[in-house]
Amino acid sequence: MTHPTLPEWTVSPGLTGYEGALADMEARAAAIHAGEARERIWLLEHPPLYTAGTSADPAELLDPRFPVYDAGRGGRYTYHGPGQRVGYVQLDLAQRGRDVRGFVSALEGWVIDTLGSFGVAARRAEGRIGIWTDDPQGREAKIGAIGVRVRRWVTLHGFSLNVAPDLSHFGGIVPCGIAEFPVTSLAALGIDADFAAVDAALHASLPAFLDKLSPSD
């Protein structure tokens, strides 16, 4: 079986509104399914907002100080905002292996590998979605979120990685339904990295991510 070509790599400058991004992502997914567009990795930054996944519990929306959007992805409440790199990953799993669990695991691995290039020992946590590390106080803290949807074997949504957001903004929700653990960021860990550096690290580890998806047949 021939391997798919590399996805289009798109980086949007400035802040991208959530509703427009969602509509763009939905349209692109339909076009990918129809064979009318390439797969895409879309890196962007949102204004401050909360998104509700399909498992969101209204009791976990503590203070709706920012707009709240129904994301249509799996998971619960998530914050997006300035200083956080969001990656919308739109791949055709009909071409790359029809394994949703494998895709999520590979996506987690991609973010973990990227953080590793900055010296951050990030990891998965059994029974807890997301990307975790130890904060300066030695507490286990969440540095990245994963939330995906798969429609007709085309993936939507993806990951968010806390580069240097205002961590107090997470206080309006119970992030991903997990109250007992804090959130952290590269900046909070003392790592001075900008989006350009993070994007370069993501790009460098992209081939390894895609290789994990290679169909076995």
Side-chain angles (χ1 to χ4, degrees):
M1 184 173 182
T2 58
H3 290 282
T5 57
L6 280 173
E8 179 183 320
W9 184 267
T10 302
V11 181
S12 291
L15 299 178
T16 302
Y18 191 75
E19 289 178 308
L22 206 59
D24 187 294
M25 186 167 41
E26 297 274 359
R28 184 61 171 248
I32 292 170
H33 175 74
E36 297 168 354
R38 283 172 62 193
E39 300 170 305
R40 177 176 65 173
I41 308 291
W42 185 14
L43 302 180
L44 49 83
E45 184 181 19
H46 284 308
L49 58 93
Y50 298 127
T51 68
T54 53
S55 304
D57 179 348
E60 292 169 357
L61 181 61
L62 307 176
D63 172 18
R65 68 187 83 160
F66 303 123
V68 182
Y69 297 98
D70 182 3
R73 54 159 175 77
R76 293 160 94 159
Y77 283 106
T78 298
Y79 166 77
H80 294 313
Q84 182 191 71
R85 176 50 94 209
V86 173
Y88 289 139
V89 180
Q90 301 206 256
L91 301 180
D92 184 358
L93 297 187
Q95 302 297 319
R96 295 186 181 274
R98 298 173 189 246
D99 180 356
V100 175
R101 186 170 293 182
F103 166 70
V104 172
S105 177
L107 188 61
E108 291 170 337
W110 185 24
V111 178
I112 289 169
D113 289 348
T114 298
L115 287 165
S117 69
F118 294 98
V120 175
R123 58 189 177 271
R124 301 172 181 87
E126 187 66 33
R128 282 187 268 122
I129 197 76
I131 308 301
W132 301 81
T133 191
D134 294 325
D135 73 7
Q137 290 74 44
R139 303 172 301 178
E140 193 167 26
K142 189 170 189 174
I143 192 168
I146 303 288
V148 302
R149 182 176 184 180
V150 180
R151 182 187 301 142
R152 296 184 296 187
W153 294 111
V154 176
T155 64
L156 297 97
H157 300 279
F159 68 86
S160 59
L161 176 58
N162 296 334
V163 180
D166 183 339
L167 294 179
S168 74
H169 287 181
F170 286 87
I173 57 170
V174 177
C176 300
I178 301 169
E180 61 268 36
F181 296 94
V183 289
T184 192
S185 66
L186 286 173
L189 296 174
I191 297 166
D192 183 18
D194 58 13
F195 277 172
V198 170
D199 295 349
L202 283 164
H203 195 270
S205 49
L206 175 66
F209 163 57
L210 296 174
D211 282 348
K212 292 175 186 172
L213 303 176
S214 299
S216 55
D217 56 340

